Amino acid sequence: QVKLVESGGGSVQSGGSLRLSCEASEYLNNLDCMGWFRQAPGKEREGVATITSDGYTRYADSVRGRSTISRDNAAKTLYLQMNNLKPEDTAMYYCAAQYYIGRCTVADVAGMNYRGKGTLVTISS
């Protein structure tokens, strides 16, 4: 069973950038679908982005054009580059993964089998 550890969160001003990382306990080759979701205080979980083992990506409308998901199989790491950050991006960000591809959509990412403990992103206006 893969273990996932997120890092890279922090506090930045509106318009800034962050790159979140998610280090896995094994090479990513067998993880057919990986992604990020977030949860803001008092709100429902929201899928942010997903990426398949062959590099196909999907994004939530709220981050499309401002974020890029990528994976480095050799480094065992999933990334989420976020630019032009807004106060509404403030949330705990979690990475998730599964060994099968499934639908691999942003609607499914919060329910994936394996999830990390999260990294906090705070955006000030």
Side-chain angles (χ1 to χ4, degrees):
Q1 295 184 349
V2 64
K3 289 181 172 51
L4 304 169
V5 179
E6 301 93 337
S7 62
S11 298
V12 299
Q13 290 191 324
S14 182
S17 298
L18 282 173
R19 187 175 80 155
L20 306 183
S21 299
C22 171
E23 185 171 358
S25 58
E26 62 184 73
Y27 290 107
L28 306 186
N29 306 64
N30 292 330
L31 297 167
D32 283 345
C33 180
M34 301 186 74
W36 294 90
F37 68 95
R38 64 188 181 185
Q39 187 164 24
K43 294 190 176 181
E44 297 287 321
R45 292 180 300 183
E46 177 190 19
V48 175
T50 60
I51 185 168
T52 65
S53 53
D54 57 3
Y56 186 79
T57 58
R58 290 184 171 96
Y59 296 93
D61 289 343
S62 57
V63 303
R64 186 176 292 112
R66 301 188 295 122
S67 298
T68 303
I69 188 172
S70 61
R71 55 195 285 169
D72 185 332
N73 291 340
K76 305 179 188 178
T77 304
L78 176 74
Y79 300 101
L80 182 68
Q81 175 70 43
M82 300 189 296
N83 302 319
N84 190 23
L85 285 159
K86 305 175 181 181
E88 51 265 42
D89 293 317
T90 294
M92 187 72 82
Y93 284 71
Y94 302 87
C95 75
Q98 59 191 26
Y99 288 100
Y100 59 96
I101 197 163
R103 298 196 311 157
C104 204
T105 69
V106 293
D108 302 310
V109 63
M112 288 185 188
N113 303 89
Y114 304 98
R115 290 164 280 181
K117 295 187 176 183
T119 185
L120 181 62
V121 171
T122 304
I123 311 302
S124 57
S125 57

